Amino acid sequence: MIHWLRGPDDPLPATGLALPLGSDAPGLLAAGGHPTPQRLAEAYSRGIFPWYSEGQPVLWWSPDPRMVLLTPEFRLSRSLRKTVRRFAADARCELRIDTAFRRVITACAQTPREGQDGTWIVPEMIEAYCEWHALGHAHSVETWIDSELVGGLYGIGIGRMFFGESMFAHRTDASKIAFAALVCFCREHQVPMIDCQQHTSHLASMGARELRRTEFEARLSRSLGEPPILDWTYDLSMWRHLDDAAAQRPDQDPGQ
């Protein structure tokens, strides 16, 4: 039975009530309501996120297992590592945070994706996250070349936790560069985990893995209890975290 939210004060149910694996919609927890900043804050602080399409009610999810990237486990292929280093060393290239949030989330909504018809980032979601961005919780990580926005991602920062939402690229590897920069930023600020929500082979190739919901929520609770990040700017010195010893796991093929 899916819980329907009847009003803004109707709380989201316990995550253990989400539909299980093997059901028609594994992880679906509740439906209804609106993605206001207040509702989003309630949801994300409990590891719940909205995901729905145009014409549907707001659907709230808590999947089990949960795809996450533990930031010490991030890894890059040799070729992508070289690409990121070239970007970092090129004076024409910039990595920025929060200078074009609406443009980033809109590009995430509008950029065609292979095998995907339409988008879950509907206009209501764009406005809600833009409002949350103005309140300091939604953030964009942006790749710029010759003063042109060519890729990026957006997500949510609460305490010492980052929840990744979506990314886009208008040039080859532009979103991957933004993701590498996000990891460097998280390492700089002792953010131990990035929520990736659902399993994809692309995320797995960079070190992301699944956690049981109980473990995810325990880690989440610890991260949310830490002081929030106050300075959301990217400094060139943060690229040094690409070379952290943990970035290259021992089992990684050195020829990749």
Side-chain angles (χ1 to χ4, degrees):
M1 178 70 70
I2 296 301
H3 179 83
W4 280 86
L5 300 175
R6 303 299 180 183
D9 298 324
D10 187 6
L12 288 160
T15 56
L17 297 176
L19 295 181
L21 288 174
S23 65
D24 291 338
L28 181 58
L29 176 65
H34 299 282
T36 63
Q38 295 75 21
R39 179 66 82 184
L40 291 172
E42 175 199 3
Y44 279 86
S45 66
R46 296 176 50 201
I48 301 165
F49 59 88
W51 183 35
Y52 62 105
S53 300
E54 194 77 57
Q56 292 181 325
V58 182
L59 302 177
W60 302 92
W61 300 79
S62 174
D64 186 14
R66 186 70 162 247
M67 192 71 165
V68 304
L69 176 68
L70 303 180
T71 54
E73 298 181 2
F74 176 65
R75 65 178 185 262
L76 287 173
S77 67
R78 179 175 294 178
S79 60
L80 186 54
R81 187 177 292 269
K82 289 180 178 178
T83 297
V84 175
R85 284 174 171 161
R86 284 196 298 269
F87 179 92
D90 191 333
R92 300 177 304 115
C93 300
E94 294 180 80
L95 196 291
R96 306 178 188 174
I97 294 180
D98 287 347
T99 69
F101 182 86
R102 181 177 286 273
R103 290 178 63 187
V104 169
I105 191 172
T106 300
C108 288
Q110 295 177 347
T111 299
R113 303 176 193 277
E114 185 177 353
Q116 180 175 321
D117 184 20
T119 179
W120 60 271
I121 310 173
V122 298
E124 180 185 33
M125 292 276 278
I126 292 176
E127 294 308 315
Y129 282 95
C130 284
E131 186 177 352
W132 214 17
H133 167 68
L135 295 172
H137 289 294
H139 302 279
S140 56
V141 181
E142 309 149 10
T143 47
W144 295 76
I145 300 177
D146 291 325
S147 299
E148 177 188 356
L149 178 64
V150 297
L153 60 88
Y154 79 95
I156 308 305
I158 307 175
R160 297 286 159 151
M161 178 71 193
F162 193 86
F163 304 83
E165 286 295 315
S166 186
M167 58 179 66
F168 81 98
H170 290 165
R171 293 202 193 179
T172 302
D173 292 331
S175 60
K176 296 176 184 177
I177 292 169
F179 191 72
L182 170 64
V183 173
C184 290
F185 180 88
C186 287
R187 286 176 170 172
E188 178 76 12
H189 292 281
Q190 293 80 53
V191 175
M193 183 170 68
I194 298 171
D195 177 32
C196 302
Q197 298 179 351
Q198 303 280 3
H199 182 280
T200 70
S201 58
H202 169 62
L203 290 167
S205 73
M206 292 191 288
R209 58 187 173 93
E210 293 180 329
L211 297 180
R212 299 300 303 175
R213 182 193 287 128
T214 52
E215 182 178 354
F216 168 75
E217 290 179 348
R219 289 175 180 263
L220 173 63
S221 179
R222 290 194 295 270
S223 294
L224 295 182
E226 296 295 322
I229 298 169
L230 300 179
D231 183 7
W232 285 83
T233 56
Y234 196 82
D235 186 271
L236 286 174
S237 66
M238 295 180 187
W239 287 118
R240 74 185 185 279
H241 291 292
L242 283 177
D243 297 317
D244 287 354
Q248 192 88 351
R249 295 206 318 209
D251 60 348
Q252 184 178 354
D253 180 355
Q256 290 183 337

